[in-house]
Coordinates of all heavy atoms in Angstrom, one line a residue:
V70 N -26.3 -44.4 6.3 CA -24.9 -44.3 5.9 C -24.9 -43.8 4.5 O -25.6 -44.2 3.6 CB -24.2 -45.7 5.9 CG1 -22.8 -45.5 5.4 CG2 -24.3 -46.3 7.3
G71 N -24.1 -42.7 4.2 CA -24.0 -42.2 2.9 C -22.5 -42.0 2.5 O -21.7 -41.7 3.3
L72 N -22.3 -42.1 1.2 CA -21.0 -41.9 0.6 C -20.6 -40.5 0.5 O -21.5 -39.7 0.0 CB -20.8 -42.7 -0.7 CG -19.5 -42.6 -1.4 CD1 -18.4 -43.4 -0.6 CD2 -19.6 -43.1 -2.8
V73 N -19.5 -40.1 0.9 CA -19.0 -38.7 0.6 C -17.6 -38.8 -0.1 O -16.9 -39.7 0.1 CB -18.9 -37.9 1.9 CG1 -20.3 -37.7 2.6 CG2 -17.9 -38.5 2.9
A74 N -17.3 -37.7 -0.8 CA -16.0 -37.8 -1.5 C -15.5 -36.4 -1.9 O -16.2 -35.4 -1.9 CB -16.2 -38.6 -2.8
T75 N -14.2 -36.3 -2.0 CA -13.5 -35.2 -2.7 C -13.1 -35.7 -4.1 O -12.3 -36.6 -4.2 CB -12.3 -34.8 -1.9 OG1 -12.6 -34.3 -0.6 CG2 -11.5 -33.6 -2.6
I76 N -13.7 -35.1 -5.1 CA -13.5 -35.5 -6.5 C -13.4 -34.3 -7.4 O -13.8 -33.2 -7.0 CB -14.6 -36.4 -7.0 CG1 -16.0 -35.7 -6.7 CG2 -14.6 -37.8 -6.3 CD1 -17.2 -36.5 -7.2
P77 N -12.8 -34.5 -8.5 CA -12.7 -33.3 -9.5 C -14.1 -32.7 -9.8 O -15.1 -33.5 -9.8 CB -12.1 -34.0 -10.7 CG -11.3 -35.1 -10.2 CD -12.1 -35.7 -9.1
P78 N -14.2 -31.4 -9.9 CA -15.4 -30.7 -10.1 C -16.2 -31.2 -11.3 O -17.4 -31.1 -11.4 CB -15.0 -29.2 -10.3 CG -13.7 -29.1 -9.6 CD -13.0 -30.4 -9.8
S79 N -15.5 -31.8 -12.3 CA -16.1 -32.2 -13.6 C -16.9 -33.5 -13.3 O -17.7 -33.9 -14.2 CB -15.0 -32.4 -14.6 OG -14.1 -33.4 -14.2
F80 N -16.6 -34.2 -12.2 CA -17.4 -35.5 -12.0 C -18.8 -35.2 -11.6 O -19.1 -34.2 -10.9 CB -16.6 -36.3 -10.9 CG -15.5 -37.0 -11.3 CD1 -14.5 -36.5 -12.1 CD2 -15.3 -38.4 -10.9 CE1 -13.4 -37.2 -12.5 CE2 -14.2 -39.1 -11.4 CZ -13.3 -38.5 -12.1
S81 N -19.7 -36.0 -12.0 CA -21.1 -35.8 -11.7 C -21.6 -37.0 -10.9 O -22.8 -37.3 -11.0 CB -21.9 -35.7 -13.0 OG -21.8 -36.9 -13.8
L82 N -20.8 -37.5 -10.1 CA -21.3 -38.6 -9.2 C -22.3 -38.0 -8.2 O -22.2 -36.9 -7.7 CB -20.1 -39.2 -8.4 CG -19.0 -40.0 -9.3 CD1 -17.9 -40.5 -8.4 CD2 -19.7 -41.2 -10.0
K83 N -23.3 -38.9 -7.8 CA -24.3 -38.4 -6.9 C -23.8 -38.7 -5.4 O -24.4 -39.5 -4.7 CB -25.6 -39.1 -7.2 CG -26.2 -38.7 -8.5 CD -27.5 -39.5 -8.7 CE -28.1 -39.0 -10.1 NZ -29.4 -39.7 -10.3
T84 N -22.8 -38.0 -5.0 CA -22.3 -38.1 -3.7 C -22.1 -36.7 -3.1 O -21.8 -35.8 -3.9 CB -20.9 -38.8 -3.6 OG1 -19.9 -38.1 -4.4 CG2 -21.1 -40.3 -4.2
K85 N -22.2 -36.5 -1.8 CA -21.9 -35.2 -1.2 C -20.4 -35.0 -1.2 O -19.6 -35.9 -1.0 CB -22.5 -35.2 0.2 CG -24.0 -35.3 0.3 CD -24.4 -35.1 1.8 CE -25.9 -35.1 1.9 NZ -26.3 -35.0 3.3
R86 N -20.0 -33.8 -1.3 CA -18.6 -33.4 -1.3 C -18.2 -33.3 0.2 O -18.9 -32.6 1.0 CB -18.3 -32.1 -2.0 CG -18.5 -32.4 -3.5 CD -18.1 -31.2 -4.4 NE -18.3 -31.5 -5.8 CZ -17.4 -32.1 -6.5 NH1 -16.2 -32.4 -6.0 NH2 -17.6 -32.4 -7.8
I87 N -17.0 -33.8 0.6 CA -16.6 -33.8 1.9 C -16.5 -32.4 2.5 O -17.0 -32.2 3.6 CB -15.2 -34.5 2.0 CG1 -15.3 -36.0 1.7 CG2 -14.6 -34.3 3.4 CD1 -14.0 -36.7 1.7
Q88 N -16.0 -31.4 1.8 CA -15.9 -30.1 2.3 C -17.3 -29.5 2.7 O -17.5 -28.9 3.7 CB -15.3 -29.1 1.3 CG -15.1 -27.7 1.8 CD -14.3 -26.9 0.8 OE1 -14.0 -27.3 -0.3 NE2 -14.1 -25.6 1.1
N89 N -18.3 -29.8 1.8 CA -19.7 -29.3 2.1 C -20.2 -30.0 3.3 O -21.0 -29.4 4.2 CB -20.6 -29.5 0.9 CG -20.1 -28.7 -0.3 OD1 -19.5 -27.7 -0.2 ND2 -20.6 -29.1 -1.5
V90 N -20.0 -31.3 3.5 CA -20.5 -32.0 4.6 C -19.9 -31.6 5.9 O -20.6 -31.4 6.9 CB -20.2 -33.6 4.4 CG1 -20.6 -34.4 5.7 CG2 -21.0 -34.1 3.2
V91 N -18.6 -31.3 5.9 CA -17.9 -30.9 7.1 C -18.5 -29.5 7.5 O -18.8 -29.3 8.7 CB -16.4 -30.7 6.9 CG1 -15.7 -30.0 8.0 CG2 -15.8 -32.1 6.6
E92 N -18.6 -28.6 6.6 CA -19.2 -27.3 6.9 C -20.6 -27.4 7.4 O -21.0 -26.8 8.4 CB -19.2 -26.4 5.7 CG -19.7 -25.0 5.9 CD -19.5 -24.1 4.6 OE1 -19.0 -24.6 3.6 OE2 -20.1 -23.0 4.7
E93 N -21.4 -28.2 6.8 CA -22.8 -28.4 7.1 C -22.9 -29.0 8.6 O -23.7 -28.5 9.4 CB -23.5 -29.3 6.2 CG -25.0 -29.5 6.5 CD -25.7 -30.5 5.5 OE1 -24.9 -31.2 4.8 OE2 -26.9 -30.5 5.4
M94 N -22.1 -30.0 8.8 CA -22.2 -30.6 10.2 C -21.8 -29.7 11.3 O -22.5 -29.6 12.3 CB -21.3 -31.9 10.2 CG -21.8 -33.0 9.3 SD -20.6 -34.4 9.3 CE -20.6 -34.9 11.0
I95 N -20.7 -28.9 11.0 CA -20.3 -27.9 12.1 C -21.4 -26.9 12.3 O -21.7 -26.5 13.4 CB -19.0 -27.3 11.7 CG1 -17.9 -28.4 11.7 CG2 -18.6 -26.2 12.7 CD1 -16.5 -27.9 11.2
K96 N -21.9 -26.3 11.2 CA -23.0 -25.3 11.3 C -24.2 -25.8 12.1 O -24.8 -25.1 12.8 CB -23.4 -24.9 9.9 CG -22.4 -23.9 9.2 CD -23.0 -23.5 7.9 CE -22.0 -22.4 7.3 NZ -22.5 -22.0 5.9
N97 N -24.5 -27.1 11.9 CA -25.7 -27.7 12.5 C -25.5 -28.1 13.9 O -26.5 -28.5 14.6 CB -26.2 -28.8 11.7 CG -26.9 -28.4 10.3 OD1 -27.2 -27.2 10.2 ND2 -26.9 -29.3 9.4
A98 N -24.3 -28.2 14.4 CA -24.0 -28.6 15.8 C -24.7 -27.8 16.8 O -24.7 -26.6 16.8 CB -22.5 -28.6 16.0
Q99 N -25.3 -28.5 17.7 CA -26.1 -27.8 18.8 C -25.5 -28.0 20.2 O -25.6 -27.2 21.0 CB -27.5 -28.4 18.9 CG -28.3 -28.1 17.6 CD -28.6 -26.7 17.3 OE1 -28.9 -25.9 18.2 NE2 -28.4 -26.2 16.1
K100 N -24.8 -29.2 20.4 CA -24.3 -29.5 21.7 C -22.8 -29.8 21.8 O -22.1 -29.3 22.7 CB -25.0 -30.7 22.3 CG -26.5 -30.4 22.6 CD -27.2 -31.6 23.2 CE -28.6 -31.3 23.5 NZ -29.3 -32.5 24.1
S101 N -22.3 -30.6 20.8 CA -20.9 -31.0 20.8 C -20.3 -31.2 19.5 O -21.0 -31.6 18.5 CB -20.8 -32.3 21.7 OG -21.4 -33.3 21.1
I102 N -19.0 -31.1 19.4 CA -18.2 -31.4 18.2 C -16.9 -32.0 18.6 O -16.2 -31.6 19.5 CB -17.9 -30.1 17.4 CG1 -19.1 -29.4 16.9 CG2 -16.9 -30.4 16.2 CD1 -18.9 -28.0 16.3
L103 N -16.6 -33.2 18.0 CA -15.3 -33.9 18.2 C -14.7 -34.0 16.8 O -15.2 -34.5 15.9 CB -15.5 -35.3 18.8 CG -14.2 -36.0 19.2 CD1 -14.5 -37.0 20.4 CD2 -13.7 -36.8 18.0
L104 N -13.4 -33.4 16.8 CA -12.7 -33.4 15.5 C -11.3 -33.8 15.6 O -10.7 -33.4 16.6 CB -12.8 -31.9 14.9 CG -12.1 -31.6 13.6 CD1 -12.7 -32.3 12.5 CD2 -12.0 -30.1 13.4
T105 N -10.8 -34.6 14.7 CA -9.4 -35.0 14.7 C -8.7 -34.3 13.5 O -9.3 -34.2 12.4 CB -9.2 -36.5 14.6 OG1 -9.7 -37.0 13.3 CG2 -9.9 -37.2 15.7
G106 N -7.5 -33.9 13.7 CA -6.8 -33.2 12.6 C -5.4 -33.8 12.5 O -4.5 -33.5 13.3
Y107 N -5.1 -34.5 11.4 CA -3.7 -34.9 11.1 C -2.9 -33.8 10.5 O -1.8 -33.6 10.8 CB -3.8 -36.2 10.2 CG -2.4 -36.6 9.7 CD1 -1.5 -37.2 10.6 CD2 -2.0 -36.4 8.4 CE1 -0.2 -37.6 10.2 CE2 -0.8 -36.7 8.0 CZ 0.1 -37.3 8.8 OH 1.4 -37.7 8.4
S108 N -3.6 -33.2 9.5 CA -2.9 -32.1 8.8 C -3.9 -30.9 8.6 O -5.0 -31.2 8.0 CB -2.3 -32.5 7.5 OG -1.8 -31.4 6.8
V109 N -3.6 -29.7 9.1 CA -4.6 -28.6 8.9 C -3.9 -27.4 8.3 O -2.7 -27.1 8.6 CB -5.1 -28.2 10.3 CG1 -6.1 -27.0 10.2 CG2 -5.7 -29.3 11.1
S110 N -4.5 -26.9 7.3 CA -3.9 -25.8 6.6 C -4.8 -24.5 6.5 O -5.9 -24.5 6.9 CB -3.6 -26.2 5.1 OG -4.8 -26.1 4.3
E111 N -4.2 -23.4 6.1 CA -5.0 -22.1 6.0 C -6.2 -22.2 5.1 O -7.1 -21.4 5.2 CB -4.0 -21.0 5.5 CG -2.9 -20.6 6.4 CD -3.5 -19.8 7.6 OE1 -4.7 -19.4 7.6 OE2 -2.7 -19.7 8.6
F112 N -6.2 -23.2 4.2 CA -7.4 -23.4 3.3 C -8.7 -23.5 4.0 O -9.7 -23.2 3.5 CB -7.1 -24.6 2.4 CG -8.2 -24.8 1.4 CD1 -8.2 -24.1 0.2 CD2 -9.2 -25.8 1.6 CE1 -9.2 -24.3 -0.7 CE2 -10.2 -26.0 0.6 CZ -10.2 -25.2 -0.5
V113 N -8.6 -24.1 5.3 CA -9.9 -24.3 6.0 C -10.0 -23.2 7.1 O -10.7 -23.5 8.1 CB -9.9 -25.7 6.7 CG1 -9.9 -26.8 5.6 CG2 -8.7 -25.9 7.6
S114 N -9.5 -22.0 6.9 CA -9.6 -21.0 7.9 C -11.1 -20.6 8.2 O -11.4 -20.3 9.4 CB -8.9 -19.7 7.4 OG -9.4 -19.2 6.2
E115 N -12.0 -20.7 7.3 CA -13.4 -20.4 7.5 C -14.0 -21.5 8.4 O -14.8 -21.1 9.3 CB -14.1 -20.4 6.2 CG -13.8 -19.1 5.4 CD -14.7 -19.0 4.1 OE1 -15.6 -19.9 3.9 OE2 -14.4 -18.1 3.3
L116 N -13.6 -22.7 8.3 CA -14.0 -23.8 9.2 C -13.5 -23.6 10.6 O -14.2 -23.8 11.6 CB -13.6 -25.2 8.7 CG -14.2 -25.6 7.3 CD1 -13.7 -27.0 7.0 CD2 -15.8 -25.7 7.5
I117 N -12.3 -23.1 10.7 CA -11.7 -22.8 12.0 C -12.5 -21.7 12.7 O -12.8 -21.7 13.9 CB -10.2 -22.4 11.9 CG1 -9.4 -23.7 11.5 CG2 -9.7 -21.8 13.2 CD1 -7.9 -23.4 11.2
D118 N -12.8 -20.6 11.9 CA -13.6 -19.5 12.4 C -15.0 -20.0 12.9 O -15.5 -19.6 14.0 CB -13.8 -18.4 11.3 CG -12.6 -17.7 11.0 OD1 -11.6 -17.7 11.8 OD2 -12.6 -17.0 9.9
L119 N -15.5 -21.0 12.2 CA -16.8 -21.5 12.5 C -16.8 -22.4 13.8 O -17.6 -22.3 14.7 CB -17.3 -22.4 11.4 CG -18.8 -22.9 11.4 CD1 -19.7 -21.7 11.5 CD2 -19.1 -23.7 10.2
L120 N -15.7 -23.1 14.0 CA -15.5 -23.9 15.2 C -15.4 -23.0 16.4 O -16.0 -23.2 17.5 CB -14.2 -24.8 15.1 CG -14.3 -26.0 14.1 CD1 -12.9 -26.5 13.9 CD2 -15.2 -27.1 14.8
V121 N -14.6 -21.9 16.3 CA -14.4 -21.0 17.4 C -15.8 -20.3 17.7 O -16.2 -20.2 18.9 CB -13.4 -19.9 17.0 CG1 -13.4 -18.8 18.0 CG2 -12.0 -20.5 16.9
A122 N -16.5 -19.9 16.7 CA -17.8 -19.3 16.9 C -18.8 -20.2 17.6 O -19.5 -19.8 18.5 CB -18.4 -18.8 15.5

Side-chain angles (χ1 to χ4, degrees):
V70 180
L72 182 69
V73 297
T75 297
I76 51 178
S79 58
F80 279 48
S81 59
L82 295 177
K83 294 182 179 180
T84 61
K85 292 183 178 181
R86 294 187 177 272
I87 292 176
Q88 184 175 1
N89 295 340
V90 171
V91 171
E92 182 177 355
E93 179 183 18
M94 288 176 65
I95 295 174
K96 283 183 176 179
N97 291 338
Q99 299 296 316
K100 295 181 179 180
S101 64
I102 297 170
L103 185 151
L104 176 67
T105 65
Y107 172 73
S108 176
V109 183
S110 76
E111 291 288 349
F112 183 77
V113 296
S114 60
E115 291 184 4
L116 293 179
I117 290 175
D118 290 343
L119 191 56
L120 288 166
V121 171

